[in-house]
Amino acid sequence: MRVEKSLHSLTGKLLLTIGALMITGSTIFWYFLFKHQEKELLENSEKQAYSFVDYVKKSTRHGMITAQKLLIQQTIEAIGAAEGVLDVRIFDCSGKIAYTSRTEDVGKILDKNSPTCRRCHASSKPTDSPGVTVSKTKDNIRILNIVHPIYNEAACSTAACHFHSGGKKMLGFIEANISLAHHDQSLRSQGIAITMYILIFLFIISITLCTILWNLVSTPVSLLKQGMERVAGGDLDYTLDINTRDEMGDLARAFNAMTTDLKKAKNELVEWGNTLEKKVEDKTRAIQMAQVQLIHSEKLASLGRMAAGVAHEINSPLTGIVTFGHLLLKQFPPGSQQYEDVEVIIEQANRCSNIIKGLLGFARASAAEKAPTAINDVLDRSLNIVRNKADFFNIRLITEFDGALHRVKADASQLQQVFLNMIMNAADAVDGKGTITILTKNIREDDSDFVEIEFRDTGTGISDENIEKIFEPFFTTKPVGKGTGLGLAVSHGIVQDHGGKLLVRSKLGEGTSFYIKLPAYREEL
């Protein structure tokens, strides 16, 4: 696995950002810690300087009270020889050096412009408080200079050897210069130690941070990138093995789910592509069959027009037969055999005339005009057309019409076309022998009134596979030449145009039922 190591990578940017913050924070911390340490050491040195001056004062007190100048000088020299002490001097109030660890300076008088004098005489009123300053020599060695006043004490003013009156407050002052070389060396050592500690801390934190970022960020991100490249290259079997319970784990699981879906879609596309040729062949055959059906439908349409013309021509002779039959009937006495024979002739001629009138009315092209229509009457006219056909001689027709059936707003000729198609399909389903039941009733659905017409047959039924296709144009289960596959499709369209529904229920071996539901028509009062 190749992991991105560039500074432009996410890991590189995180390392640079966090590293810069750590270095900046550590530098600030080191600076303030070093300054605090320096201040602490300087304060300790000042405290030691005060203690040193107080020690000098107490060491020379006995010699001062007893006026033993030699003892005082020896004491000062001994103290001044201590390590780190550069010199110790005692001045009187006039600025004369009375005692010093440097014997050659005894008796010198300080100039008032000297640093020591200016500290006490910086203002118009001299100060008598001790002071501490830090300066550097030419060798860049820091020196702590402390000046401490010597106050008049009762033991000193009452001594027989002294000339100081009790009203004099300050008798002189002690000055000491102490080297801070040891202090600076200690400060440098501590600074180096602190710097090393911080560098070690930064090193350990950096290693830890790099390890964490490598394992938690860089490696998972690189795996995700590699996975994307593999998937883009077509390897949809590639999966990420990241099982952490964080965002990276969620991304890995989402990635694996994505590749699974892509693989499934690809397989479906490949399978569809493999079967495309077969589907094209099937559709081609279906189109060819549809073309054959269209030609057959055109033949039927031509035959229908021709049959309508023949029926019109037959209607005229039938009218003559009925007319002359009634004239002939008057020549025979009622009750005679001739009279009854002529009545049969007139009755059968009238039946033929009624059938022809029904056919002509059904075939006549007229503009669709919806009006309040009695469904039972349309069904009666449809049944009169087919009742005397030879195909219906062995079929039992059962009608159960609701006498209080609501009317519907519809085109009667279009509904008659639908009803005839339902009756003829039922006759084909029972194969010339069986039962066809036609029922009408009022129903209520979704707070609306409907008229339901049911066509039930005792035929062989329709399979579940075909029942989903029966309303498709040119689909038929009848033998070639017997059905066009347009009847149910056209009927379904007519019923929908009237705001209704055409439903079917069927079970193999138990028959089929077609339900037509049309909105009831309510006349406005």
Side-chain angles (χ1 to χ4, degrees):
M1 179 190 66
R2 181 178 61 86
V3 179
E4 186 65 45
K5 298 180 180 180
S6 171
L7 293 178
H8 297 289
S9 65
L10 178 61
T11 304
K13 292 178 180 178
L14 286 175
L15 287 174
L16 285 177
T17 302
I18 298 174
L21 289 175
M22 289 178 57
I23 291 173
T24 303
S26 300
T27 302
I28 294 173
F29 172 76
W30 174 87
Y31 176 79
F32 282 105
L33 182 62
F34 185 79
K35 288 298 181 181
H36 175 74
Q37 193 71 17
E38 183 181 17
K39 182 180 177 182
E40 288 262 332
L41 289 174
L42 186 59
E43 288 178 353
N44 291 333
S45 297
E46 290 179 358
K47 291 179 181 179
Q48 293 175 2
Y50 282 118
S51 299
F52 175 76
V53 172
D54 188 61
Y55 172 73
V56 172
K57 185 178 177 181
K58 290 180 179 179
S59 299
T60 59
R61 185 173 182 276
H62 177 71
M64 290 286 187
I65 293 175
T66 58
Q68 299 182 44
K69 294 182 179 182
L70 180 59
L71 177 61
I72 296 172
Q73 180 62 33
Q74 291 176 347
T75 301
I76 293 299
E77 291 178 2
I79 293 174
E83 183 181 359
V85 179
L86 299 180
D87 62 65
V88 180
R89 295 187 293 184
I90 298 177
F91 299 84
D92 59 17
C93 291
S94 62
K96 180 182 178 181
I97 301 176
Y99 306 99
T100 176
S101 57
R102 297 179 181 178
T103 55
E104 64 275 12
D105 292 335
V106 176
K108 291 182 179 181
I109 298 176
L110 290 179
D111 186 1
K112 288 187 177 181
N113 294 323
S114 65
T116 303
C117 290
R118 283 202 306 269
R119 289 170 55 191
C120 295
H121 298 274
S123 60
S124 57
K125 185 178 180 180
T127 179
D128 57 357
S129 60
V132 177
T133 59
V134 177
S135 60
K136 286 187 177 181
T137 64
K138 295 179 180 180
D139 299 331
N140 205 26
I141 298 175
R142 292 201 304 167
I143 298 174
L144 187 147
N145 177 266
I146 182 170
V147 178
H148 194 284
I150 301 174
Y151 298 104
N152 191 9
E153 299 179 6
C156 186
S157 60
T158 57
C161 62
H162 282 195
F163 303 98
H164 307 300
S165 62
K168 193 172 184 178
K169 184 178 180 180
M170 191 173 66
L171 303 180
F173 57 90
I174 302 174
E175 180 191 33
N177 289 312
I178 302 173
S179 174
L180 293 179
H182 179 73
H183 163 274
D184 292 340
Q185 179 63 33
S186 177
L187 185 63
R188 282 192 295 270
S189 300
Q190 291 186 12
I192 294 172
I194 293 172
T195 303
M196 292 300 298
Y197 293 150
I198 291 177
L199 290 176
I200 293 173
F201 170 77
L202 287 175
F203 178 75
I204 295 174
I205 291 297
S206 299
I207 294 298
T208 305
L209 183 62
C210 289
T211 303
I212 293 174
L213 289 176
W214 180 273
N215 292 327
L216 298 184
V217 178
S218 182
T219 300
V221 168
S222 298
L223 288 174
L224 283 170
K225 180 181 177 182
Q226 181 180 353
M228 289 294 183
E229 293 174 350
R230 294 281 293 273
V231 170
D235 185 5
L236 298 180
D237 293 322
Y238 184 79
T239 57
L240 294 176
D241 187 17
I242 303 176
N243 300 318
T244 57
R245 297 182 180 180
D246 53 14
E247 289 80 359
M248 292 298 178
D250 294 338
L251 281 175
R253 286 184 284 274
F255 176 86
N256 292 336
M258 179 192 70
T259 55
T260 300
D261 294 339
L262 286 175
K263 183 179 179 181
K264 182 179 178 182
K266 181 181 178 181
N267 291 336
E268 291 177 354
L269 287 174
V270 171
E271 183 179 356
W272 185 84
N274 293 334
T275 58
L276 180 60
E277 184 177 354
K278 183 178 181 299
K279 290 183 179 180
V280 170
E281 292 176 356
D282 294 341
K283 289 296 181 182
T284 302
R285 284 195 297 269
I287 292 173
Q288 292 173 349
M289 292 178 62
Q291 186 177 9
V292 172
Q293 295 291 347
L294 282 173
I295 295 173
H296 183 63
S297 298
E298 184 63 27
K299 289 181 179 178
L300 290 177
S302 300
L303 181 62
R305 288 192 295 270
M306 184 178 66
V310 172
H312 181 74
E313 295 296 330
I314 293 175
N315 195 41
S316 297
L318 286 175
T319 302
I321 292 172
V322 172
T323 301
F324 284 99
H326 281 288
L327 294 175
L328 185 63
L329 191 64
K330 295 178 181 180
Q331 299 179 9
F332 300 103
S336 64
Q337 182 64 38
Q338 293 83 355
Y339 188 91
E340 292 178 357
D341 292 341
V342 172
E343 280 186 335
V344 171
I345 293 172
I346 294 172
E347 179 184 358
Q348 295 301 320
N350 283 329
R351 287 182 61 187
C352 291
S353 180
N354 290 333
I355 292 172
I356 290 172
K357 286 180 181 179
L359 287 172
L360 288 174
F362 177 69
R364 187 180 296 113
S366 59
E369 183 177 351
K370 296 180 181 179
T373 304
I375 294 296
N376 292 341
D377 294 343
V378 179
L379 285 171
D380 284 334
R381 290 197 299 270
S382 302
L383 288 171
N384 287 335
I385 294 176
V386 302
R387 196 185 302 272
N388 294 302
K389 287 186 61 177
D391 295 342
F392 285 81
F393 288 166
N394 295 323
I395 295 176
R396 183 185 177 193
L397 287 172
I398 300 175
T399 58
E400 297 180 9
F401 295 164
D402 188 346
L405 194 68
H406 297 314
R407 293 199 298 174
V408 300
K409 192 171 183 179
D411 183 275
S413 62
Q414 289 185 353
L415 288 185
Q416 186 176 6
Q417 178 181 352
V418 174
F419 296 159
L420 283 172
N421 184 67
M422 294 292 107
I423 295 170
M424 297 302 295
N425 284 344
D428 291 338
V430 298
D431 197 17
K433 48 186 176 180
T435 302
I436 299 175
T437 305
I438 305 174
L439 304 94
T440 62
K441 62 181 178 180
N442 296 318
I443 62 172
R444 189 167 180 81
E445 289 184 358
D446 300 329
D447 297 330
S448 299
D449 293 322
F450 289 85
V451 172
E452 183 180 83
I453 308 101
E454 179 183 357
F455 297 88
R456 184 192 310 158
D457 65 64
T458 57
T460 57
I462 306 172
S463 65
D464 294 338
E465 179 183 356
N466 291 332
I467 204 168
E468 298 178 356
K469 306 176 184 178
I470 58 174
F471 295 122
E472 295 180 3
F474 307 111
F475 176 79
T476 180
T477 57
K478 298 176 184 178
V480 177
K482 193 173 183 180
T484 64
L486 293 172
L488 285 177
V490 173
S491 299
H492 187 264
I494 293 174
V495 172
Q496 282 190 329
D497 184 59
H498 284 75
K501 300 176 183 178
L502 178 56
L503 308 174
V504 60
R505 293 177 185 171
S506 182
K507 191 172 183 180
L508 285 175
E510 297 183 6
T512 304
S513 293
F514 284 89
Y515 299 87
I516 299 175
K517 297 180 182 180
L518 298 172
Y521 173 72
R522 293 288 188 179
E523 296 183 1
E524 297 182 358
L525 299 178

